[in-house]
């Protein structure tokens, strides 16, 4: 009894009839002695066909979707964003810059061919990349980002600008940085000056934030650098935590370097080269070696939209320690000192939005739980310096507000409040207002 024939696979992946077919009747092949071929021979044919099929795919085109082995050892779906030829290799030896479609862009990375499962290759070039950004097709993900941007009332990133941003920043230019005692993997593209285009790693002075290409340059710089803390005024110290206010006009180079650094970890941050209009509040952990930056937020000196925060970042080594919540709380304490209500500039990053929602929820629920009797949104705004619109959307998301007889009514059942407070998690580090020594900014002269 003869074995079944395995169909031959052509380069395009379709199956073709065997050369032994005659008038549509296919006969099993036989060996020279008339016996059917062995299973080893059939497997060898399969293996050879598979190799040819895979070879015909290479190099993979930009836009290809395939499964890729990630650092957890498992395979995840990715999309090829860019490719580059390897220095010492054959015509098809490329590295591929991939986006893990299940995860945020911060995890995009260069991978080698052996990390990709070529048997899982889907449609090649499902989204043709043109030379001109305006001809790019938008993915659903991009459209959703645009919709969210418009919902938030932020018009800086319109559809064309967002497409241009996605194209221009699609590949990380700096892979890692050294800052103080940490080596940190970067998340996103940052537009460093052209002379740094060939650097995969940069070395930052953790006090003045000057950056260099080589470790030896940093070591020479550190022997000369007199700074042991950010330039500017220390306006808060509690235990080992300090906050410094840095005027972008007085410390222009520091402000610009801080923006370059921050862009490595913020996706849709607009990089302002004109830092004169901003104040930077840099949070530090202090020890006998100096004050080491853990994060910062910036704000405009004069904002017509009542923005009390433009950008916020906690550096990756210091995340999940409550510093992000501390920075948000600090921005509202400054607003209280100014006698104003405030709101963060839109659009917020994904992590920023989560942090703000958590902060607004905890602050408002704490007040509602302790307050006896009725309280209005205006009163909550006056007590917290949180903008009325942010209070309204937060309470609506928690289903704690109803619209009755032409006005919003807060419905604060104690059990519901407890449940929401538990879900909101811990509040993080608290700002000791008694340790804040600060005068609101006024234009000099």
């Amino acid at each position: 009894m003869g074995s079944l024939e395995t169909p031959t696979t052509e380069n395009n992946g379709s199956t073709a009839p065997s050369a032994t077919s005659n008038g549509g009747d296919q006969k099993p092949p036989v060996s020279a002695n008339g016996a059917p071929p062995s299973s080893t021979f059939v497997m060898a044919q399969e293996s050879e066909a598979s190799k040819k099929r895979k070879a015909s795919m290479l190099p993979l085109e930009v836009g290809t979707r395939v499964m890729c082995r990630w650092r957890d050892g498992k395979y995840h779906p990715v999309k090829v964003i860019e490719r580059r030829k390897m220095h010492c290799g054959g015509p098809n030896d490329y590295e591929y810059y991939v986006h893990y479609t299940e995860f945020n862009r911060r995890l995009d990375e260069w991978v080698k061919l052996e990390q990709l499962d070529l048997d899982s290759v889907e449609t090649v070039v499902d989204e043709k990349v043109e030379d001109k950004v305006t001809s790019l097709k938008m993915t659903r993900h991009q459209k959703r980002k645009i919709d969210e941007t418009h919902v938030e009332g932020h018009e800086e990133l319109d559809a064309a600008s967002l497409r241009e941003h996605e194209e221009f920043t699609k590949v990380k230019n700096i892979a890692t940085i050294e800052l103080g005692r940490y080596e940190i993997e970067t998340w996103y593209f940052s537009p460093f000056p052209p002379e740094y285009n060939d650097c995969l790693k940069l070395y930052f002075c953790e006090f003045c934030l000057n950056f260099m290409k080589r470790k030896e340059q940093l070591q020479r710089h550190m022997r000369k650098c007199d700074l042991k803390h950010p330039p500017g005024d220390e306006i808060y110290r509690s235990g080992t935590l300090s906050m410094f206010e840095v005027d972008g006009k007085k410390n222009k180079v520091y402000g610009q370097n801080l923006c370059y650094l921050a862009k490595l970890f913020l996706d849709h941050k607009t990089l302002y080269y004109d830092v004169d209009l901003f104040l930077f509040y840099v949070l530090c952990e202090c020890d006998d070696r100096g004050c080491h930056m853990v994060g910062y937020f910036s704000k405009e000196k004069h904002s017509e939209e009542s923005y009390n925060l433009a950008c916020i970042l906690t550096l990756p080594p210091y995340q999940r320690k409550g510093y992000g919540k501390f920075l948000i709380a600090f921005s509202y304490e400054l607003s209280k000192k100014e006698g104003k209500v405030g709101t963060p500039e839109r659009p917020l990053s994904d992590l920023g939005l989560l942090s703000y929602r958590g902060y607004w929820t905890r602050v408002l629920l704490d007040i509602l739980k302790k307050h006896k009797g009725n309280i209005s949104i205006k009163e909550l705004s006056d007590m917290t310096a949180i903008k009325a619109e942010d209070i309204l959307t937060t309470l609506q998301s928690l289903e704690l507000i109803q619209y009755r007889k032409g006005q919003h009514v807060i419905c604060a059942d104690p059990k519901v409040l407890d449940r929401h407070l538990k879900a909101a998690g811990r509040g993080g580090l608290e700002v000791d207002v008694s340790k804040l020594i600060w005068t609101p900014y006024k234009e000099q002269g």
Side-chain angles (χ1 to χ4, degrees):
M1 187 175 171
S3 62
L4 292 174
E5 180 195 8
T6 303
T8 305
T9 307
E10 293 182 338
N11 285 346
N12 63 4
S14 62
T15 56
S18 166
T20 58
S21 63
N22 183 14
D25 296 327
Q26 296 184 17
K27 298 178 181 179
V30 293
S31 59
N33 60 6
S38 67
S39 60
T40 305
F41 177 73
V42 174
M43 288 173 65
Q45 281 186 317
E46 285 180 337
S47 177
E48 190 62 31
S50 178
K51 284 180 182 178
K52 286 182 179 179
R53 186 178 65 84
K54 290 178 180 179
S56 70
M57 297 176 184
L58 300 178
L60 294 179
E61 297 286 350
V62 171
T64 300
R65 295 180 183 271
V66 64
M67 300 297 285
C68 178
R69 188 176 68 252
W70 195 46
R71 60 191 71 171
D72 61 358
K74 298 176 182 176
Y75 281 86
H76 297 271
V78 301
K79 179 179 176 182
V80 176
I81 302 297
E82 191 58 272
R83 68 184 187 185
R84 66 186 179 195
K85 216 166 181 10
M86 297 180 72
H87 296 301
C88 303
N92 289 333
D93 289 335
Y94 282 78
E95 286 183 307
Y96 299 93
Y97 194 78
V98 300
H99 167 62
Y100 293 90
T101 56
E102 299 171 329
F103 306 128
N104 186 277
R105 282 209 318 157
R106 70 174 68 99
L107 297 178
D108 294 1
E109 62 179 350
W110 287 102
V111 300
K112 293 193 166 31
L113 182 62
E114 54 262 31
Q115 291 175 252
L116 303 174
D117 177 12
L118 294 183
D119 288 326
S120 67
V121 170
E122 293 181 14
T123 308
V124 176
V125 199
D126 64 333
E127 182 180 316
K128 190 175 180 182
V129 179
E130 301 288 347
D131 291 334
K132 293 183 178 180
V133 171
T134 52
S135 64
L136 286 174
K137 295 178 183 177
M138 278 190 295
T139 63
R140 281 178 297 174
H141 176 62
Q142 289 171 323
K143 287 177 181 175
R144 188 168 66 250
K145 280 188 189 175
I146 294 166
D147 291 341
E148 288 173 357
T149 302
H150 282 276
V151 167
E152 290 172 341
H154 186 83
E155 303 302 326
E156 279 187 7
L157 287 176
D158 58 15
S161 298
L162 184 58
R163 290 198 299 275
E164 184 175 359
H165 170 86
E166 295 278 352
E167 174 66 12
F168 183 67
T169 68
K170 64 183 180 181
V171 178
K172 273 183 276 193
N173 49 342
I174 308 296
T176 57
I177 62 166
E178 186 174 301
L179 181 71
R181 59 195 179 96
Y182 293 103
E183 183 175 276
I184 310 170
E185 287 186 12
T186 63
W187 294 355
Y188 303 111
F189 172 92
S190 182
F192 283 90
E195 58 265 32
Y196 295 91
N197 285 350
D198 60 344
C199 297
L200 290 178
K201 183 175 181 179
L202 287 180
Y203 299 85
F204 279 80
C205 170
E206 63 174 326
F207 300 119
C208 71
L209 297 187
N210 282 346
F211 46 88
M212 299 117 210
K213 294 182 178 182
R214 299 192 307 276
K215 180 82 169 180
E216 303 78 44
Q217 291 176 306
L218 176 64
Q219 290 169 339
R220 285 199 300 271
H221 169 85
M222 294 304 291
R223 288 194 287 269
K224 298 176 184 177
C225 186
D226 296 328
L227 281 178
K228 294 298 177 186
H229 58 75
D233 300 323
E234 186 177 19
I235 61 173
Y236 179 90
R237 178 170 288 205
S238 179
T240 58
L241 277 188
S242 282
M243 183 75 82
F244 291 83
E245 181 185 65
V246 181
D247 188 331
K249 187 174 183 179
K250 296 178 182 176
N251 302 280
K252 186 171 292 190
V253 173
Y254 181 90
Q256 289 175 345
N257 290 346
L258 181 55
C259 288
Y260 281 129
L261 174 63
K263 182 64 189 71
L264 292 169
F265 305 100
L266 297 172
D267 191 7
H268 285 161
K269 170 180 165 52
T270 302
L271 191 64
Y272 293 102
Y273 294 98
D274 184 9
V275 294
D276 293 15
L277 307 176
F278 291 86
L279 295 167
F280 300 90
Y281 295 89
V282 184
L283 180 63
C284 297
E285 284 183 352
C286 302
D287 57 25
D288 54 358
R289 295 183 299 111
C291 299
H292 315 283
M293 184 178 78
V294 304
Y296 87 103
F297 72 89
S298 61
K299 64 180 288 188
E300 288 182 278
K301 293 173 180 176
H302 306 287
S303 173
E304 296 179 1
E305 296 86 356
S306 301
Y307 293 144
N308 65 353
L309 184 145
C311 261
I312 181 170
L313 171 70
T314 303
L315 290 168
Y318 300 98
Q319 290 177 0
R320 298 187 174 276
K321 295 183 179 181
Y323 288 131
K325 296 164 188 172
F326 180 90
L327 290 168
I328 292 172
F330 201 94
S331 70
Y332 280 104
E333 292 301 335
L334 297 187
S335 292
K336 291 176 187 177
K337 287 266 189 182
E338 291 174 309
K340 301 176 181 177
V341 296
T343 189
E345 185 176 322
R346 270 57 167 191
L348 290 166
S349 67
D350 53 348
L351 296 179
L353 183 59
L354 283 173
S355 297
Y356 264 96
R357 281 179 176 165
Y359 173 79
W360 291 330
T361 297
R362 282 185 297 273
V363 168
L364 295 174
L365 293 185
D366 278 336
I367 292 174
L368 292 177
K369 190 173 179 183
K370 296 170 185 174
H371 188 79
K372 305 296 181 185
N374 295 330
I375 188 169
S376 68
I377 290 176
K378 173 71 166 61
E379 288 170 322
L380 284 173
S381 182
D382 292 340
M383 294 168 69
T384 62
I386 300 173
K387 203 171 183 180
E389 289 86 342
D390 296 330
I391 294 174
L392 185 59
T393 56
T394 301
L395 294 179
Q396 283 174 335
S397 69
L398 298 171
E399 297 182 348
L400 293 176
I401 199 163
Q402 295 179 4
Y403 195 69
R404 296 177 186 169
K405 297 180 180 178
Q407 61 181 358
H408 291 100
V409 180
I410 299 171
C411 307
D413 180 88
K415 291 182 180 178
V416 176
L417 294 180
D418 286 336
R419 189 173 73 248
H420 284 310
L421 271 171
K422 188 175 180 181
R426 59 191 180 87
L429 303 169
E430 289 190 8
V431 179
D432 185 348
V433 184
S434 66
K435 305 288 177 65
L436 173 59
I437 303 171
W438 181 72
T439 303
Y441 176 84
K442 289 184 180 177
E443 192 70 52
Q444 299 296 322

